[in-house]
């Protein structure tokens, strides 16, 4: 864990009334595990939009995003890379169509690219069953 991440966790804990960094980490772990619990999308084909934000001029992260595009090219329907104004960061957007378990694997891979990558996604089933979209 980088020093900056530790400092950010300590600041977050203080600003939000947590007793310390470990309590923030524990709650984050519970949230992540709940996210991957069985859902209405189990055994379904879904369309997922994934947005990853990371620091500007981070060649290692950009290289890793390129590797991810190649690794999942069979499931990626669309991909774009944009730089935010004022060198505020970069945004990598993916549209992925695959079995639900496969898109969860994709999200985990993007999140694992670097600890500084922030990832958000939304899911829509595309297999003909009617279920509302989900945002994470």
């Amino acid at each position: 864990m980088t020093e900056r991440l530790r400092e950010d966790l300590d600041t977050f804990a203080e600003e939000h009334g947590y007793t310390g960094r470990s309590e923030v980490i524990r709650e984050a772990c519970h949230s992540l595990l709940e996210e991957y619990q069985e859902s209405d999308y189990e055994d379904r084909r879904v369309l997922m939009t994934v947005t990853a934000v990371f620091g500007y001029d981070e060649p290692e992260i950009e290289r890793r995003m390129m590797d991810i595009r190649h690794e999942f090219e069979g499931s990626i329907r669309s991909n774009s890379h944009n730089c935010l104004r004022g060198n505020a960061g970069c945004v990598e957007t993916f549209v992925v169509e695959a079995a639900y378990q496969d898109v969860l694997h994709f999200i985990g891979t993007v999140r694992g690219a670097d600890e500084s990558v922030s990832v958000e996604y939304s899911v829509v089933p595309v297999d003909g069953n009617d279920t509302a979209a989900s945002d994470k």
Side-chain angles (χ1 to χ4, degrees):
M1 186 181 299
T2 65
E3 184 176 338
R4 178 172 181 211
L5 182 56
R6 288 190 306 270
E7 290 171 358
D8 288 348
L9 286 169
D10 291 341
T11 300
F12 183 89
E14 185 177 316
E15 289 176 353
H16 293 89
Y18 289 91
T19 58
R21 180 187 316 152
S22 62
E23 187 179 358
V24 174
I25 293 170
R26 185 173 35 258
E27 185 171 317
C29 289
H30 284 297
S31 294
L32 182 62
L33 291 173
E34 284 177 13
E35 181 177 330
Y36 284 85
Q37 293 296 319
E38 189 171 325
S39 78
D40 293 338
Y41 299 130
E42 290 293 319
D43 301 321
R44 296 194 63 187
R45 188 159 193 82
V46 297
L47 185 70
M48 180 174 290
T49 303
V50 181
T51 304
V53 180
F54 51 91
Y56 179 78
D57 197 25
E58 298 276 349
E60 287 301 316
I61 299 174
E62 289 186 34
R63 200 170 1 267
R64 182 65 185 121
M65 290 296 164
M66 183 176 62
D67 292 343
I68 291 169
R69 283 193 298 271
H70 291 296
E71 181 180 346
F72 291 91
E73 66 186 344
S75 299
I76 295 174
R77 299 292 171 251
S78 177
N79 172 239
S80 67
H81 175 91
N82 294 283
C83 296
L84 300 173
R85 293 184 184 181
N87 297 338
C90 294
V91 177
E92 197 81 28
T93 307
F94 299 92
V95 176
V96 180
E97 181 183 353
Y100 183 66
Q101 291 303 319
D102 294 337
V103 295
L104 290 180
H105 177 65
F106 176 81
I107 292 166
T109 302
V110 173
R111 284 182 171 155
D114 190 272
E115 66 185 33
S116 65
V117 176
S118 172
V119 179
E120 297 290 329
Y121 65 90
S122 63
V123 183
V124 178
V126 293
D127 60 6
N129 297 330
D130 293 332
T131 302
S134 170
D135 289 323
K136 299 285 179 190

